[in-house]
Amino acid sequence: MKDCHEPAEVCMTNCPTLIVMVGLPARGKTYISKKLTRYLNWIGVPTKEFNVGQYRRDLVKKYKSFEFFLPDNEEGLKIRKQCALAALNDVRQYLSEENGHVAVFDATNTTRERRETIYKFGEENGYKTFFVESVCVDPEVIAANIVQVKLGSPDYVDCSNDEATEDFMKRIECYKNSYETLDETLDKDLSYIKIMDVGRSYLVNRVMDHIQSRIVYYLMNIHVTPRSIYLCRHGESELNLKGRIGGDPGLSVRGKEFAKSLAQFINEQNIKDLKVWTSQMKRTIQTAEALGVPYEQWKVLNEIDAGVCEEMTYEEIQENYPLEFALRDQDKYRYRYPKGESYEDLVQRLEPVIMELERQENVLVICHQAVMRCLLAYFLDKPAEQLPYLKCPLHTVLKLTPVAYGCKVESIFLNVEAVNTHRDKPENVGVDRSREEALRTVPNHL
Amino acid sequence: MAAAAASPARELTQNPLQKTWEPYDNGLPAGHSAQRGVCMTNCPTLIVMVGLPARGKTYISKKLTRYLNWIGVPTKEFNVGQYRRDLVKKYKSFEFFLPDNEEGLKIRKQCALAALNDVRQYLSEENGHVAVFDATNTTRERRETIYKFGEENGYKTFFVESVCVDPEVIAANIVQVKLGSPDYVDCSNDEATEDFMKRIECYKNSYETLDETLDKDLSYIKIMDVGRSYLVNRVMDHIQSRIVYYLMNIHVTPRSIYLCRHGESELNLKGRIGGDPGLSVRGKEFAKSLAQFINEQNIKDLKVWTSQMKRTIQTAEALGVPYEQWKVLNEIDAGVCEEMTYEEIQENYPLEFALRDQDKYRYRYPKGESYEDLVQRLEPVIMELERQENVLVICHQAVMRCLLAYFLDKPAEQLPYLKCPLHTVLKLTPVAYGCKVESIFLNVEAVNTHRDKPENVDISRPPEDALVTVPAHQ
């Protein structure tokens, strides 16, 4: 008898899942692979992407020209097959030996034959296979992709932009003749999603389980329209000043100053159709009020619930709950306050916020320290161990702008002083540590 | 974006019922602030069903309407067949639907327009957010008429087409929902089936399915073969995205969902709410009875879910099978009232106690939750229940009320008063357009924890009036 006593969101996959990307070059396969991997890891599903092009670059060292990809280039074909097999071997190791749950196999996989080979590999190893195909014929989109992610590729480090573009277009041509798109009839027994024209429409076939359903939902909500996401905390609160955590206090004098500065900053940014979101706690709402624009309150954006430790200082927590305080330092991500929450719980409740942020365009999220750390970790692909220690100081706006395969971050301090609320992990996390050792990293307060 | 930075920030007041912070001008609540969860839709949405008869359109309409209402989006379905039955009174035969039956066509068009008029009233005058227009809508011409109607009125239109050619599925649908239809009340099953098959034929010649090219500018989902595959085109906003996600997760495979609470707990005995207590002696008895009951039911591939509170896990442990713990199945958080008796709540928080009785669905405990909050956190459970087949959910009173309200389509006003007694399993089995409920008391006595709404909900009421419906306890 086995007790599956992990929380439902981790125990989502009974057998590992192999996601197989399909599509011509410059159709967004790597963009999707990386984004999907980032999302799955954030929600707690161990995922890794395997980019066959990277295996090729590691093997061949110096890329010469598109001729490597000509369909009659025997040497090229041999190397490319070798790379695909090496990548699949690493997939097998990750899923069957290293406790990976999902592997994303990122390559063109444009022939039915290649896909059959991979599918058989999946079957032999007990993986569920799910194909993700990106189909796009819009020349503007393809040109934009080339500019965004190909010109800067290691393959073209010694070429001019024009040379690189010309070579890459010929590279795409090499694949076109043998391209067999996923077919409603021929491939009717496979599980897949076909994404058409960067998300204008989707064909979804035979979704087999929960994780595939979540992947489909996520892929159907993401878009590539340029936009920025602004994250900040509420203005300094009365409890911040006293070094107390949680509660539902109002803004301090400086916090109100910050709110006005935020209004001015937002105005100057001249953002098109900005949506403003807050939590349902007074301090974020007070901050939003200063902006003079409509805003939406989300209960799920509320700060982490510190349970019995609500409104305490760290000194009081050490005084009253020294064991809890030490356990928290030992594993800050998984630690749950008595009658409260953990960062891990926070991520689960913030998932709908992330999904809606993906759907939206320009958004300002006025939230809280722990909440902001979770959201930031999603956008910057920070693992669970680092998440609870990300620096999110008061009175500082982080402007996130998607670029290439990642996210550009600009940090803007709005020039209104505030207390520091960041407590680093102390050196001694043992349950028998002294009071001084426990409190060494507590920031100053009244 | 307009700047209103010159005026000072408005003061905030906390709504005493929902504990939400709202700005006010001169003592009155002001605008500018919306609560997420309800304000998902800026302009109303018109969902238009498409498909031949017996393809599951009404099944989907009703289910989708039920789901949207449960998550807080006011939704109503408009079944044109029902308008026809109200107008024509007695159904004679399939000949009514022949494409050259002038009289029939005239009546059917009249019914469609009457239904659209009611849609307009619901969405534009009665604060409805979503209307589901349930008819065959199998010609491009008819769909254009409806789309124009939507545009004229400022609605976003989203088509849901169900395409199915499997004769077994169609035959099963006819048995499930057509044989019992008012149209066939005086016919034998064979007569009804024969007539209905001819009815379907009447539509086939003029059927124009949603086309990838011709209809490329419309927003729609085409469901093929009862969910084997889907074609999704131009999802425009959040609500359409949620609708697509829901439709892609539902299935029609027969199964049952078992709902029950944990066994009686030590705090239940004392009339205390919340906390994280263990089972009482009788609670442990119940757990054993539950194990026996589940065994006897001989359920194929049963999944068992619990909350992360001790009392549900203890109950599941007695079953001797694997189970999954969900934090979102935890009981409603009573905040400052946790582990109190109702008498103590009346003593310490008489105003709160009265507000709760005034609007039990929306009332949020100080530093706690409301039923409305519960529904939002349970949505992933409902979504996963839709995906699954046979499941036993061992949960808590308020949680079970929320889940039950979803399956039995109970509105918000009734939800917090649904009867979910201890030691009683509710077996829910989808049938036709709804859900059959069997209630099985497992013969182990337990305290009653159900407190009815008292007559006097005024904040000035005396303690006796407040406590008159409190069930007996130690």
Side-chain angles (χ1 to χ4, degrees):
Chain A
M1 182 196 88
K2 178 192 175 301
D3 286 357
C4 179
H5 51 79
E6 292 136 321
E9 56 278 12
V10 176
C11 197
M12 250 190 262
T13 47
N14 19 11
C15 61
T17 302
L18 172 60
I19 297 176
V20 181
M21 302 304 300
V22 179
L24 293 173
R27 264 55 178 180
K29 295 184 303 299
T30 302
Y31 175 83
I32 291 168
S33 296
K34 286 182 179 289
K35 211 170 156 70
L36 185 58
T37 300
R38 176 162 57 90
Y39 168 71
L40 291 172
N41 278 311
W42 186 76
I43 60 172
V45 180
T47 304
K48 195 170 168 186
E49 37 130 11
F50 299 83
N51 179 285
V52 174
Q54 195 50 51
Y55 282 74
R56 188 259 306 157
R57 273 184 281 274
D58 292 342
L59 190 64
V60 177
K61 306 296 175 210
K62 178 98 188 81
Y63 172 78
K64 292 203 188 67
S65 82
F66 76 95
E67 289 177 358
F68 178 81
F69 293 96
L70 281 168
D72 55 6
N73 180 344
E74 297 270 354
E75 181 70 15
L77 286 168
K78 201 176 116 191
I79 290 172
R80 288 155 73 195
K81 180 134 201 197
Q82 195 181 333
C83 290
L85 292 174
L88 281 181
N89 194 45
D90 286 352
V91 163
R92 197 196 42 72
Q93 190 172 320
Y94 178 66
L95 295 181
S96 301
E97 294 166 31
E98 291 173 16
N99 289 318
H101 282 204
V102 178
V104 184
F105 188 69
D106 178 19
T108 49
N109 299 315
T110 39
T111 62
R112 192 157 281 112
E113 182 201 1
R114 170 56 56 90
R115 295 195 291 268
E116 258 186 55
T117 306
I118 298 168
Y119 186 85
K120 282 205 185 77
F121 162 85
E123 274 202 311
E124 280 160 17
N125 287 283
Y127 309 150
K128 283 185 186 165
T129 302
F130 187 76
F131 295 91
V132 177
E133 180 174 17
S134 173
V135 174
C136 180
V137 294
D138 184 341
E140 282 188 33
V141 173
I142 295 157
N145 287 356
I146 293 176
V147 169
Q148 273 264 314
V149 296
K150 302 296 179 188
L151 299 184
S153 156
D155 290 346
Y156 296 114
V157 73
D158 293 325
C159 300
S160 73
N161 283 357
D162 284 344
E163 287 168 342
T165 304
E166 190 184 335
D167 183 272
F168 198 82
M169 295 305 289
K170 291 186 186 149
R171 209 153 115 178
I172 298 176
E173 285 306 310
C174 294
Y175 286 88
K176 277 192 174 169
N177 280 348
S178 59
Y179 183 18
E180 294 168 297
T181 186
L182 285 170
D183 183 80
E184 271 188 81
T185 315
L186 295 173
D187 298 306
K188 64 176 169 55
D189 291 330
L190 297 181
S191 298
Y192 66 83
I193 178 171
K194 188 191 273 208
I195 305 168
M196 293 167 281
D197 295 325
V198 203
R200 185 183 56 74
S201 61
Y202 306 88
L203 181 63
V204 179
N205 198 60
R206 290 195 192 274
V207 170
M208 299 302 289
D209 60 15
H210 178 95
I211 192 72
Q212 291 184 15
S213 165
R214 292 287 287 276
I215 288 165
V216 164
Y217 184 44
Y218 181 72
L219 293 177
M220 288 176 60
N221 280 316
I222 60 180
H223 66 76
V224 295
T225 310
R227 49 77 174 254
S228 289
I229 294 167
Y230 298 78
L231 301 180
C232 72
R233 294 165 63 187
H234 52 83
E236 184 190 68
S237 77
E238 295 289 355
L239 287 190
N240 287 144
L241 278 176
K242 297 177 186 159
R244 295 185 174 282
I245 65 172
D248 194 14
L251 299 180
S252 67
V253 169
R254 299 194 296 193
K256 290 173 182 168
E257 276 306 306
F258 164 72
K260 291 195 199 123
S261 294
L262 182 64
Q264 191 180 344
F265 169 75
I266 291 299
N267 243 318
E268 288 162 1
Q269 287 275 305
N270 221 357
I271 307 155
K272 168 172 166 268
D273 295 331
L274 179 72
K275 298 267 170 78
V276 179
W277 297 351
T278 70
S279 70
Q280 284 188 356
M281 295 181 140
K282 187 175 183 185
R283 51 199 188 277
T284 58
I285 298 166
Q286 268 186 296
T287 307
E289 273 291 315
L291 305 181
V293 297
Y295 55 90
E296 255 186 78
Q297 296 183 17
W298 294 63
K299 184 173 190 278
V300 292
L301 281 173
N302 281 5
E303 182 57 314
I304 192 171
D305 184 355
V308 300
C309 297
E310 277 285 316
E311 303 197 43
M312 287 190 177
T313 61
Y314 289 118
E315 290 84 353
E316 285 165 2
I317 299 175
Q318 169 60 26
E319 175 80 34
N320 293 288
Y321 301 98
L323 173 62
E324 294 293 329
F325 202 37
L327 288 174
R328 185 157 207 255
D329 282 336
Q330 290 179 14
D331 190 346
K332 195 175 176 189
Y333 183 73
R334 276 165 211 84
Y335 170 81
R336 189 184 281 169
Y337 281 104
K339 301 192 180 177
E341 293 176 301
S342 63
Y343 273 92
E344 192 170 29
D345 295 328
L346 254 197
V347 161
Q348 202 197 4
R349 82 163 148 90
L350 287 170
E351 200 265 351
V353 175
I354 288 298
M355 196 64 85
E356 191 56 21
L357 278 172
E358 287 294 347
R359 289 197 53 78
Q360 292 288 342
E361 294 185 18
N362 293 316
V363 185
L364 164 65
V365 185
I366 304 172
C367 54
H368 305 266
Q369 184 167 245
V371 169
M372 188 165 159
R373 284 170 171 157
C374 292
L375 299 179
L376 194 60
Y378 167 75
F379 288 108
L380 302 188
D381 202 17
K382 299 293 184 186
E385 302 70 52
Q386 294 179 30
L387 186 161
Y389 296 101
L390 294 175
K391 286 220 162 75
C392 295
L394 287 164
H395 299 186
T396 306
V397 179
L398 292 187
K399 178 179 177 180
L400 305 165
T401 311
V403 69
Y405 294 136
C407 226
K408 181 174 86 167
V409 198
E410 293 165 70
S411 172
I412 307 113
F413 172 61
L414 289 191
N415 235 339
V416 178
E417 290 305 313
V419 294
N420 172 27
T421 58
H422 186 94
R423 178 179 166 266
D424 275 309
K425 181 172 178 171
E427 271 204 48
N428 192 345
V429 300
V431 301
D432 53 355
R433 64 189 178 175
S434 70
R435 184 179 173 280
E436 298 73 47
E437 286 173 312
L439 298 173
R440 185 154 299 149
T441 56
V442 172
N444 293 329
H445 57 85
L446 293 175
Chain B
M1 195 188 83
S7 50
R10 297 171 298 182
E11 291 301 308
L12 296 179
T13 179
Q14 191 174 39
N15 172 310
L17 180 79
Q18 295 174 290
K19 311 300 186 293
T20 45
W21 290 98
E22 296 157 356
Y24 68 89
D25 287 322
N26 300 317
L28 297 166
H32 266 198
S33 164
Q35 312 293 328
R36 156 123 323 222
V38 176
C39 194
M40 256 190 256
T41 48
N42 20 9
C43 63
T45 302
L46 173 60
I47 297 176
V48 181
M49 302 303 300
V50 180
L52 292 173
R55 264 55 178 181
K57 297 185 300 300
T58 302
Y59 175 83
I60 292 168
S61 298
K62 287 180 179 291
K63 212 170 153 74
L64 185 57
T65 299
R66 175 161 59 89
Y67 168 71
L68 290 173
N69 278 312
W70 186 76
I71 60 171
V73 180
T75 303
K76 195 169 168 188
E77 37 131 11
F78 298 82
N79 179 286
V80 174
Q82 195 48 50
Y83 282 74
R84 186 259 307 157
R85 273 185 280 274
D86 292 342
L87 189 65
V88 176
K89 304 295 176 216
K90 178 102 188 79
Y91 173 77
K92 292 201 189 64
S93 82
F94 75 95
E95 290 177 355
F96 178 81
F97 293 97
L98 282 168
D100 55 5
N101 179 345
E102 297 272 354
E103 182 69 17
L105 287 169
K106 200 177 118 196
I107 291 172
R108 289 156 71 195
K109 179 133 202 197
Q110 193 181 335
C111 290
L113 292 174
L116 281 181
N117 194 44
D118 287 352
V119 163
R120 197 197 42 73
Q121 189 171 322
Y122 178 66
L123 294 181
S124 301
E125 294 167 29
E126 291 172 18
N127 290 315
H129 283 206
V130 178
V132 184
F133 188 69
D134 178 18
T136 49
N137 299 314
T138 38
T139 62
R140 192 157 282 112
E141 182 201 0
R142 171 56 56 89
R143 297 195 291 266
E144 258 186 57
T145 306
I146 299 168
Y147 185 85
K148 282 206 185 78
F149 163 85
E151 274 203 311
E152 281 159 15
N153 286 283
Y155 310 151
K156 283 186 187 167
T157 303
F158 187 76
F159 294 92
V160 177
E161 180 174 19
S162 173
V163 173
C164 181
V165 296
D166 185 341
E168 281 187 31
V169 173
I170 293 154
N173 287 354
I174 293 176
V175 168
Q176 275 262 314
V177 296
K178 301 295 179 188
L179 298 184
S181 156
D183 289 347
Y184 296 114
V185 73
D186 293 326
C187 301
S188 75
N189 284 356
D190 284 343
E191 288 168 340
T193 305
E194 189 183 334
D195 183 274
F196 198 82
M197 295 304 288
K198 291 186 185 149
R199 209 154 114 178
I200 297 177
E201 285 306 309
C202 294
Y203 286 88
K204 277 192 176 172
N205 278 348
S206 60
Y207 183 17
E208 295 167 297
T209 186
L210 286 170
D211 182 81
E212 271 187 82
T213 315
L214 294 172
D215 299 305
K216 64 176 169 56
D217 290 329
L218 298 180
S219 297
Y220 65 84
I221 178 170
K222 188 192 272 208
I223 304 169
M224 291 166 283
D225 296 325
V226 205
R228 185 183 57 75
S229 61
Y230 307 88
L231 181 64
V232 180
N233 198 60
R234 290 198 191 272
V235 169
M236 299 302 289
D237 60 14
H238 178 93
I239 194 70
Q240 290 182 15
S241 165
R242 294 286 288 275
I243 289 165
V244 164
Y245 185 43
Y246 181 72
L247 293 178
M248 289 176 60
N249 280 315
I250 60 179
H251 68 78
V252 293
T253 311
R255 50 77 174 256
S256 290
I257 293 166
Y258 299 78
L259 301 180
C260 71
R261 293 165 66 186
H262 51 84
E264 183 190 67
S265 77
E266 295 290 353
L267 288 190
N268 286 144
L269 279 175
K270 298 176 184 158
R272 295 186 173 282
I273 65 172
D276 195 13
L279 298 179
S280 66
V281 169
R282 300 192 296 193
K284 291 173 185 170
E285 276 306 307
F286 165 73
K288 289 195 201 122
S289 294
L290 182 64
Q292 191 179 343
F293 169 76
I294 290 300
N295 244 319
E296 288 162 1
Q297 286 276 306
N298 221 356
I299 308 154
K300 170 172 165 270
D301 293 332
L302 180 71
K303 298 268 170 80
V304 178
W305 298 350
T306 69
S307 70
Q308 282 188 357
M309 296 182 140
K310 186 176 182 181
R311 52 200 188 278
T312 57
I313 298 167
Q314 266 185 297
T315 308
E317 274 291 319
L319 304 181
V321 297
Y323 56 89
E324 258 186 73
Q325 296 182 19
W326 294 64
K327 183 173 191 278
V328 293
L329 282 173
N330 282 4
E331 182 55 316
I332 192 171
D333 183 356
V336 299
C337 297
E338 276 286 317
E339 302 197 44
M340 287 190 175
T341 61
Y342 290 118
E343 290 84 354
E344 285 165 0
I345 299 176
Q346 169 58 28
E347 174 82 36
N348 293 290
Y349 301 99
L351 173 63
E352 294 292 330
F353 202 37
L355 288 174
R356 183 157 210 254
D357 283 335
Q358 290 179 14
D359 191 345
K360 196 175 176 189
Y361 184 73
R362 277 165 210 84
Y363 171 82
R364 187 183 282 170
Y365 281 105
K367 303 192 181 178
E369 294 177 299
S370 63
Y371 272 92
E372 192 171 28
D373 295 328
L374 253 196
V375 162
Q376 202 195 7
R377 84 163 147 87
L378 286 170
E379 200 266 352
V381 176
I382 287 299
M383 197 63 85
E384 190 57 20
L385 278 172
E386 287 294 346
R387 290 197 53 77
Q388 292 288 344
E389 294 185 16
N390 293 316
V391 186
L392 164 65
V393 185
I394 305 171
C395 54
H396 305 266
Q397 183 166 247
V399 169
M400 188 164 160
R401 285 170 170 155
C402 292
L403 299 179
L404 194 59
Y406 167 75
F407 288 108
L408 301 187
D409 203 16
K410 299 294 183 186
E413 302 70 53
Q414 293 178 30
L415 186 160
Y417 296 100
L418 293 175
K419 285 221 165 71
C420 294
L422 286 165
H423 299 186
T424 307
V425 178
L426 292 185
K427 177 179 176 179
L428 305 165
T429 310
V431 68
Y433 295 135
C435 225
K436 179 174 87 167
V437 199
E438 295 164 68
S439 172
I440 308 114
F441 172 60
L442 289 191
N443 234 340
V444 178
E445 290 305 312
V447 294
N448 172 27
T449 58
H450 186 94
R451 181 177 162 266
D452 275 309
K453 180 171 177 169
E455 271 203 47
N456 189 348
V457 300
D458 226 68
I459 58 180
S460 58
R461 65 190 177 175
E464 310 79 62
D465 283 11
L467 298 171
V468 67
T469 56
V470 172
H473 59 85
Q474 285 169 2

